[in-house]
Amino acid sequence: MRQPKLIDYILLIILSLIWASAFFNIKIATESFGPITIAFLRVLFGSIPVLLLCFYKKIKIEAFSKDWHWFAIIGFVNLVAPFFLIAYGVKSVQSNLAAILMSTTPLSSTVLGHFFTKNEKFNFIKTFGILIGFSGIIYLFSDNFLINDNNFFSALMILLGSTCYVIGGVLTLKISNKKNENVTGSILIWAIIILIPLVSFIEKPWNTIPSVESSVSVIYLGLVSTGLAWLLRFRILKNNGLIFQSQVSYLIPIFGIGLSYIFLDELITDKVIVSLLAVLVGLYFVKKAGSKKYEKR
């Protein structure tokens, strides 16, 4: 790993923008597609650049090896479930709120890390950060103008989707000895396999005529926000490490709110701003505690 250069910061910002842009594109996609179809098309188009890279680099895909069950489980928990839950929730909730709710992933991973790993226990700084961050989410749910009885369940589904990412990350530790490209390609294949019967029997998207905007958005979600973003993440991790790459957590909700306002003219209330600041402060303290521990090793 090397010290970050200007190009590394540029790539980090690009990755943050790509992931942040997913939220308003999901909103546009829901105008024509159901949540299962969106999840299926995301993994289908997202698999293209990843599998092409594996073919080019001659990386063996082990989707059907002796560890197939881990790839299948992680594919469901880390791709199928969150992609479905987020698309389901964003249909009834502003996409900028989804960006804030999804930014709690590092906070949730810290909580799970305390219970399921030996080296990631709570300390005062982590606990303080978690309390501040989640208090921001609780405050966000008190914004009755944006989250009410009609979409409260949808907002919870988005929060559950972020938790699925965390659980998927913990499960990935079971196959941490394998190349990232192999793991990503394998879980994408299994996500496609899982979603084919679901999308075929439940939503039957071939019976609908999608708008051009929704079609472009769902293709973008797959090729760019899923496939290209994962490849960009691999490069940043390889060159600069996890601590540097994790800074996207600060940028995604900020960009998400800005892009949603620009492209969808979504409302930004005082409670949205306060909640965002609380989550960012919480993330800062959690990552600060993690960075100190990393430096001591």
Side-chain angles (χ1 to χ4, degrees):
M1 286 182 289
R2 68 185 188 208
Q3 286 296 316
K5 300 178 181 179
L6 177 61
I7 184 62
D8 298 313
Y9 285 103
I10 292 174
L11 291 177
L12 186 74
I13 291 173
I14 291 174
L15 178 61
S16 303
L17 280 168
I18 289 174
W19 273 339
S21 66
F23 297 105
F24 79 83
N25 275 288
I26 292 172
K27 188 74 171 181
I28 296 172
T30 59
E31 295 173 2
S32 298
F33 300 103
I36 300 176
T37 303
I38 292 173
F40 171 69
L41 293 176
R42 282 194 71 173
V43 296
L44 180 64
F45 288 117
S47 67
I48 295 173
V50 176
L51 295 179
L52 285 176
L53 178 68
C54 290
F55 177 78
Y56 174 76
K57 295 177 68 174
K58 297 181 179 179
I59 296 173
K60 184 180 179 182
I61 299 294
E62 302 179 45
F64 304 105
S65 66
K66 62 181 178 63
D67 293 318
W68 69 268
H69 57 288
W70 285 117
F71 293 123
I73 293 170
I74 296 168
F76 176 79
V77 175
N78 209 42
L79 294 174
V80 175
F83 283 3
F84 165 77
L85 291 168
I86 295 165
Y88 177 89
V90 168
K91 188 172 181 63
S92 304
V93 174
Q94 285 196 171
S95 62
N96 58 11
L97 302 188
I100 298 176
L101 293 172
M102 289 302 299
S103 68
T104 61
T105 300
L107 301 176
S108 301
S109 64
T110 303
V111 175
L112 287 181
H114 173 80
F115 295 103
F116 293 100
T117 63
K118 295 180 180 179
N119 302 318
E120 301 296 334
K121 301 302 181 183
F122 288 154
N123 56 34
F124 176 77
I125 297 178
K126 278 187 179 181
T127 304
F128 180 73
I130 291 169
L131 291 175
I132 292 293
F134 280 114
S135 68
I137 297 302
I138 294 171
Y139 187 64
L140 181 64
F141 271 83
S142 72
D143 191 333
N144 295 325
F145 185 71
L146 296 179
I147 300 179
N148 49 50
D149 292 340
N150 295 324
N151 61 9
F152 183 83
F153 180 75
S154 296
L156 286 180
M157 291 302 98
I158 296 172
L159 204 55
L160 180 58
S162 72
T163 306
C164 286
Y165 280 132
V166 177
I167 297 172
V170 173
L171 292 174
T172 304
L173 295 176
K174 298 290 184 180
I175 48 175
S176 59
N177 60 318
K178 301 182 184 298
K179 285 183 175 291
N180 281 328
E181 295 91 339
N182 168 33
V183 172
T184 303
S186 296
I187 66 175
L188 279 165
I189 289 172
W190 273 104
I192 293 171
I193 293 172
I194 293 168
L195 283 164
I196 284 175
L198 295 176
V199 76
S200 299
F201 290 105
I202 297 175
E203 291 186 350
K204 301 177 181 178
W206 52 83
N207 291 330
T208 62
I209 302 177
S211 67
V212 174
E213 293 81 3
S214 293
S215 299
V216 170
S217 287
V218 83
I219 293 172
Y220 174 87
L221 285 168
L223 290 177
V224 181
S225 295
T226 304
L228 179 61
W230 274 99
L231 298 182
L232 188 54
R233 175 179 175 269
F234 292 152
R235 172 170 175 161
I236 295 173
L237 281 171
K238 182 179 179 180
N239 291 339
N240 309 109
L242 180 62
I243 299 298
F244 180 79
Q245 188 268 325
S246 66
Q247 294 180 85
V248 296
S249 301
Y250 299 108
L251 300 174
I252 289 174
I254 297 173
F255 288 149
I257 289 176
L259 292 172
S260 298
Y261 176 77
I262 293 170
F263 289 98
L264 299 179
D265 197 27
E266 290 187 339
L267 293 173
I268 303 176
T269 65
D270 293 340
K271 288 191 175 182
V272 169
I273 298 298
V274 173
S275 299
L276 172 64
L277 291 175
V279 170
L280 294 179
V281 170
L283 288 173
Y284 170 77
F285 282 107
V286 167
K287 291 186 181 299
K288 182 178 180 181
S291 298
K292 284 186 175 181
K293 183 175 180 180
Y294 181 81
E295 291 169 357
K296 290 177 182 178
R297 291 178 180 174

